[in-house]
């Protein structure tokens, strides 16, 4: 019999629960659409480490509380982030914060366990990037997915390689440059999702069956298969030698954009008006 074991307070940003061989992580800030800010990323890193260290865990599944899976990065404290001064090494704190999420995605994508994301609602920006970084992704039919960064003057810095790896460069180009939102069926059609279930019993039974099939896989064989897949087409070299430097550079680009066009883009979004890009501050 599988016994569910829960850790942490019910109001914690991230809830964790082991149910047999499945380690569940639940984003738990539904009132703000589960943003992937610094605290949430820190909790995700810690929980993933716990799952990786537990030999009884075969599957790591990330879901969310509330109607949305995740709205992506936290833009509620932009002024404070822009005002933050460089650290003792002269590194930009905005870039460092952005890069931390990329390190988590690297670790999540390279996890030896089977990784699953369960998107029961909208996943935007970094939230959609998290979906793309999983081995297997399931979505509720009413969920929507998109990458709105350029519409507010930002760039999809840390998620871009993981999105392109899942849906292909051209689909990533189209979605990221247009900011198009797509529904779950369209997401499945381009490979962003592997499964789409209707709400209610179909979702519960579909997810349970999918997780059961993952658990039934021999753990060493599954881990070896993941390593073999990662060794195809030069991916191993890319992940080990090039991806880190790419994401470092992307984090600096993100910081530059947050201090320039995004000031106008975020202000326009809050005011529900079209941005005036000519009025945006230039990069200092």
């Amino acid at each position: 019999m599988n016994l569910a074991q829960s850790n942490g307070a019910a109001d914690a940003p991230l809830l964790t629960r082991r149910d047999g061989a499945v380690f569940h992580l639940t984003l738990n800030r539904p009132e703000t659409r589960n943003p992937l800010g610094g605290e949430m990323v820190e909790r995700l890193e810690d929980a993933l480490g716990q799952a990786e260290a537990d030999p009884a865990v075969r599957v790591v599944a990330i879901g969310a509380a509330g109607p949305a899976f995740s709205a992506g990065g936290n833009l509620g404290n932009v002024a404070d982030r822009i005002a933050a001064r460089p650290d003792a090494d002269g590194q930009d704190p905005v870039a460092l914060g952005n890069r931390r999420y990329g390190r988590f995605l690297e670790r999540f994508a390279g996890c030896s366990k089977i990784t699953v994301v369960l998107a029961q609602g909208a996943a935007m920006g970094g939230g959609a990037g998290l979906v793309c970084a999983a081995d297997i992704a399931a979505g509720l039919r009413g969920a929507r997915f998109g990458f709105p960064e350029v519409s507010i003057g930002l760039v999809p810095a840390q998620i871009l390689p993981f999105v392109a790896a899942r849906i292909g460069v051209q689909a990533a180009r189209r979605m990221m440059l247009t900011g198009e939102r797509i529904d779950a069926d369209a997401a499945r059609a381009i490979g962003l999702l592997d499964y789409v279930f209707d709400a209610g019993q179909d979702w519960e039974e579909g997810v349970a069956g999918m997780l059961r099939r993952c658990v039934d896989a021999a753990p060493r064989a599954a881990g070896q298969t993941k390593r073999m897949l990662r060794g195809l087409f030069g991916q191993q070299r890319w992940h080990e030698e090039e991806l880190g430097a790419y994401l470092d550079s992307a984090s600096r680009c993100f910081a530059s954009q947050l201090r320039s066009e995004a000031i106008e883009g975020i202000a326009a979004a809050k005011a529900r008006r079209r941005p005036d890009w000519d009025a945006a501050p230039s990069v200092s």
Side-chain angles (χ1 to χ4, degrees):
M1 181 174 67
N2 290 342
L3 296 177
Q5 300 176 344
S6 300
N7 296 315
D11 61 349
L14 183 74
L15 305 180
T16 62
R17 175 175 61 92
R18 184 168 72 79
D19 187 1
V22 181
F23 194 83
H24 290 273
L25 287 64
T26 302
L27 309 178
N28 190 39
R29 283 293 178 261
E31 68 281 1
T32 51
R33 302 178 67 210
N34 299 311
L36 294 164
E39 182 182 16
M40 185 71 81
V41 173
E42 181 179 357
R43 299 296 181 96
L44 284 167
E45 289 174 330
D46 291 344
L48 184 59
Q50 182 181 347
E52 289 176 319
D54 188 343
V57 172
R58 297 187 184 181
V59 180
V60 179
I62 299 181
F69 176 72
S70 175
N74 185 1
L75 298 179
N77 58 347
V78 171
D80 291 340
R81 292 167 68 187
I82 292 175
R85 300 177 63 84
D87 66 11
D89 296 328
Q91 298 186 79
D92 188 330
V94 172
L96 291 174
N98 181 252
R99 184 65 182 89
R100 182 166 192 176
Y101 186 47
R103 281 194 294 274
F104 168 74
L105 291 177
E106 288 182 86
R107 186 175 172 187
F108 184 61
C111 180
S112 63
K113 320 284 185 175
I114 297 175
T115 57
V116 175
V117 164
L118 308 171
Q120 89 296 356
M124 297 292 159
L130 179 55
V131 175
C132 289
D135 293 325
I136 300 169
L140 197 63
R141 180 153 272 114
R144 296 186 66 78
F145 304 85
F147 305 95
E149 287 87 350
V150 298
S151 68
I152 55 171
L154 290 171
V155 293
Q158 300 301 302
I159 64 172
L160 193 153
F162 305 95
V163 176
R166 175 172 271 271
I167 67 175
V169 172
Q170 182 53 36
R173 179 184 287 120
R174 170 176 58 84
M175 290 196 67
M176 289 177 170
L177 294 181
T178 66
E180 176 186 5
R181 270 88 161 159
I182 60 175
D183 63 20
D185 289 315
R188 185 180 183 187
I190 64 171
L192 197 155
L193 290 177
D194 300 297
Y195 300 93
V196 176
F197 302 114
D198 290 316
Q201 188 174 0
D202 185 53
W203 171 259
E204 295 174 4
E205 293 180 353
V207 168
M210 178 188 62
L211 292 176
R212 185 167 57 249
R213 290 190 293 275
C214 291
V215 169
D216 286 345
R220 288 195 298 276
Q224 290 284 11
T225 299
K226 290 187 63 170
R227 284 189 286 275
M228 291 167 67
L229 286 166
R230 198 164 186 169
L232 293 174
F233 314 124
Q235 290 182 88
Q236 194 71 28
R237 177 183 173 187
W238 160 250
H239 282 281
E240 292 180 355
E241 301 179 17
E242 300 177 31
L243 179 58
Y246 177 94
L247 293 176
D248 287 344
S249 176
S251 72
R252 294 189 291 271
C253 181
F254 178 90
S256 175
Q257 285 299 125
L258 190 66
R259 291 192 167 87
S260 55
E261 287 181 320
I263 295 175
E264 166 61 14
I266 294 169
K270 290 180 177 178
R272 299 185 181 276
R273 60 172 175 80
R274 293 179 63 86
D276 179 1
W277 297 123
D278 292 332
S282 59
V283 180
S284 57

